[in-house]
Amino acid sequence: MGRKNRGTTKGRVSRIGSYAIAEPNSISCTTFNILAPIYKRLNLEDQSCRESDYRANWLSRNHRILDWLLYERSSIMCLQEFWVGNEELVGIYDKRLGDAGYINFKLARTNNRGDGLLTAVHKDYFRVIAHRELLFNDFGDRVAQLLHVELIAPYAQCRNNNVRQEMLIVNTHLLFPHDSSLSLERLRQVYKILQYVESYQKENKLNPLPIILCGDWNGSKRGHVYKFLRSQGFVSSYDTAHQYTDADAHKWVSHRNHRGNICGVDFIWLLNPNSYRKLLKTSWGNVIFGMFKYQLRRASLTENDAFAFLKADSDGDYITYAGFCEALRQLNLIGHCYGLSAEEIKDLWLQADIDGNGVLDYSEFQQQRVWNPTWSEQRDGISDEASDDDVVSDTEETIGFSVKNAVLFPTEVEKGTWPEDYSLSDHAKLTVVFSPVRMLCCQLSR
């Protein structure tokens, strides 16, 4: 990166930095896939030539990454593809971040390839209550980190001692979608993260509190992971800050992958404690039915054609379980090692068979879940009602967040282009500024 380009971009970062540091009533969060040296290709003609073989190269690049991170000085840093397998690099990050006042947590992927996650929170802003590691131990060997923290800054909006100032932070890096058969596996990874967060809250008897999910999701706003998270009440902070809708997906990018394609895959998701969610299992079923419908529409099937396709050779005007399974197989949702399990198929069937008579008639197909999944494709997925098994006993005030600003670096990516002279990573750095606000949350009985 040339001197001129650095100075221009730095001014933009300084604007974010001023929000995060100068204003006492804001916190900031950065997510950044820093491209592990073991994956960075130095020669397109020789794919085996990686940066990890050239110490001067990876050392220089990572010092520049740290320069940018420490200049910006976000309250929260979530890094992906951190080279945990290299002790020298780990030591550099520990020293420089530690000297700047950060508490660091590192987690390697479970396949021993050498990369993983680093999450750092600044001790001027947070007291760490707990840190948990989530190991998927399945295809892709992905991991996630969960931090339960308490805000310790004297936020003017929340000085009342009765206002809880705790939050959960999650950092992860999902599987790269090498082909369409892996879409289910990536959804499973998100589902497991949300399951883990939910179980942590229940085990620790936590009422609703803000949750920030950071990372490289390896999926765009057009993908099923994006829709699934929205169905659970999460909002994309960058899109919220810029008032972007789904129709604006082309306006920004955050990654140029090894195929040369540019896409927006890096998100900081926010769930506030006053946002109610559907039951997680119900949302999971809805997202699978959404995939089901997507595949049917890709085949240019109308509603009537889709019903006939599912009905197959059934003698009656209904869909049998066997016909349902055969349709899943033809749509590539089962029949391979990453497909739906027998238990998942049965759960889907039970959700679709509303009257429980063992078959799906046209009304169940059309009006219920199969053709018209009940999740919202127009809203942010926030339900106005508590989930069925949540009983509101009383209310209390807690902290939540409004999105104050969000910036991608380098700035060109905010216009949907990728600068050729950008060399820090193959991902853009996303920083969001949040303002704490007081809000009522429901104290749920369990």
Side-chain angles (χ1 to χ4, degrees):
M1 186 163 26
R3 183 179 300 275
K4 180 179 179 182
N5 200 27
R6 178 184 175 94
T8 302
T9 311
K10 194 166 185 176
R12 186 65 179 269
V13 175
S14 177
R15 177 167 63 85
I16 285 293
S18 66
Y19 280 120
I21 300 171
E23 296 190 10
N25 292 326
S26 295
I27 66 168
S28 55
C29 179
T30 292
T31 187
F32 191 19
N33 181 324
I34 60 174
L35 181 56
I38 52 176
Y39 302 135
K40 183 173 174 58
R41 299 170 174 86
L42 298 182
N43 188 335
L44 294 179
E45 296 179 359
D46 181 5
Q47 295 295 307
S48 65
C49 182
R50 303 296 174 97
E51 186 189 54
S52 52
D53 295 326
Y54 300 89
R55 179 179 176 274
N57 290 44
W58 60 254
L59 197 60
S60 172
R61 183 171 66 89
N62 277 274
H63 272 300
R64 286 191 292 132
I65 289 171
L66 279 163
D67 289 343
W68 284 110
L69 292 172
L70 293 174
Y71 182 86
E72 189 171 64
R73 197 176 179 266
S74 285
S75 319
I76 304 163
M77 296 181 188
C78 293
L79 308 183
Q80 304 85 43
E81 288 197 23
F82 178 64
W83 197 12
V84 293
N86 185 284
E87 293 183 4
E88 182 180 7
L89 187 71
V90 170
I92 291 170
Y93 274 79
D94 279 344
K95 177 71 167 61
R96 294 194 61 183
L97 292 177
D99 288 347
Y102 288 92
I103 306 167
N104 307 324
F105 300 90
K106 298 173 288 292
L107 178 60
R109 283 173 60 187
T110 54
N111 59 3
N112 296 317
R113 290 190 68 175
D115 69 306
L117 306 172
L118 184 151
T119 302
V121 293
H122 202 284
K123 62 184 179 183
D124 287 350
Y125 293 87
F126 302 104
R127 178 179 70 86
V128 178
I129 298 172
H131 169 243
R132 298 288 185 269
E133 299 177 347
L134 175 55
L135 311 178
F136 295 141
N137 288 317
D138 55 14
F139 186 81
D141 295 291
R142 300 293 170 164
V143 294
Q145 294 173 295
L146 170 68
L147 265 68
H148 180 191
V149 300
E150 179 183 19
L151 281 77
I152 60 177
Y155 296 104
Q157 306 97 317
C158 310
R159 284 179 179 171
N160 187 324
N161 290 333
N162 295 325
V163 178
R164 292 184 298 107
Q165 299 191 45
E166 298 177 15
M167 61 183 290
L168 299 179
I169 303 164
V170 176
N171 183 16
T172 194
H173 181 190
L174 297 188
L175 180 70
F176 183 82
H178 291 281
D179 61 65
S180 60
S181 68
L182 301 180
S183 295
L184 275 171
E185 197 62 34
R186 294 171 57 250
L187 277 170
R188 283 195 186 97
Q189 290 168 353
V190 177
Y191 184 65
K192 288 179 182 180
I193 290 172
L194 297 187
Q195 273 188 318
Y196 190 84
V197 170
E198 190 176 86
S199 65
Y200 177 84
Q201 291 177 282
K202 289 181 178 179
E203 288 168 9
N204 292 278
K205 298 180 172 59
L206 300 176
N207 286 321
L209 71 172
I211 302 171
I212 293 178
L213 303 182
C214 299
D216 174 3
W217 300 88
N218 265 321
S220 72
K221 291 178 65 176
R222 299 181 178 91
H224 298 292
V225 167
Y226 180 90
K227 293 178 180 179
F228 179 45
L229 285 168
R230 288 213 329 191
S231 76
Q232 279 289 291
F234 288 90
V235 296
S236 163
S237 299
Y238 185 84
D239 293 307
T240 300
H242 295 270
Q243 300 182 346
Y244 286 161
T245 66
D246 289 353
D248 299 312
H250 62 286
K251 291 187 176 180
W252 63 272
V253 297
S254 69
H255 177 42
R256 182 166 66 179
N257 64 31
H258 61 277
R259 298 169 179 167
N261 302 321
I262 57 174
C263 44
V265 300
D266 299 272
F267 292 89
I268 296 178
W269 293 93
L270 170 66
L271 177 71
N272 269 320
N274 63 348
S275 299
Y276 291 107
R277 293 171 287 172
K278 299 174 183 177
L279 289 171
L280 184 57
K281 193 171 186 178
T282 300
S283 286
W284 167 255
N286 285 339
V287 75
I288 301 302
F289 280 124
M291 295 179 68
F292 192 91
K293 180 180 177 180
Y294 173 75
Q295 297 281 30
L296 291 172
R297 284 188 165 177
R298 280 191 66 185
S300 300
L301 296 181
T302 65
E303 186 175 303
N304 289 333
D305 291 339
F307 183 75
F309 169 70
L310 289 165
K311 190 168 72 72
D313 297 328
S314 172
D315 294 333
D317 196 25
Y318 50 75
I319 302 165
T320 65
Y321 182 70
F324 181 67
C325 292
E326 175 59 21
L328 291 175
R329 187 190 66 78
Q330 292 191 41
L331 295 173
N332 201 36
L333 293 174
I334 64 174
H336 51 85
C337 58
Y338 316 127
L340 294 168
S341 68
E343 182 180 355
E344 289 170 333
I345 298 170
K346 193 67 175 179
D347 284 341
L348 286 176
W349 178 258
L350 292 175
Q351 288 186 47
D353 184 13
I354 302 299
D355 59 15
N357 67 349
V359 296
L360 304 182
D361 58 28
Y362 187 79
S363 175
E364 287 175 310
F365 164 80
Q366 194 275 332
Q367 297 179 15
Q368 300 297 332
R369 299 185 183 279
V370 182
W371 188 253
N372 293 310
T374 57
W375 68 353
S376 171
E377 295 180 356
Q378 303 300 324
R379 301 174 61 227
D380 283 340
I382 301 175
S383 172
D384 293 324
E385 298 180 357
S387 57
D388 296 339
D389 62 350
D390 291 334
V391 180
V392 179
S393 57
D394 59 9
T395 58
E396 67 170 29
E397 284 191 321
T398 186
I399 196 171
F401 293 104
S402 64
V403 178
K404 190 167 187 178
N405 198 7
V407 171
L408 282 160
F409 163 75
T411 56
E412 290 88 343
V413 303
E414 295 191 317
K415 297 178 176 62
T417 62
W418 194 264
E420 292 298 328
D421 60 350
Y422 175 64
S423 59
L424 282 188
S425 176
D426 58 353
H427 284 258
K429 175 167 59 68
L430 170 61
T431 296
V432 177
V433 177
F434 297 100
S435 288
V437 293
R438 292 168 68 165
M439 58 179 57
L440 291 175
C441 77
C442 288
Q443 191 173 26
L444 304 176
S445 62
R446 307 187 186 282

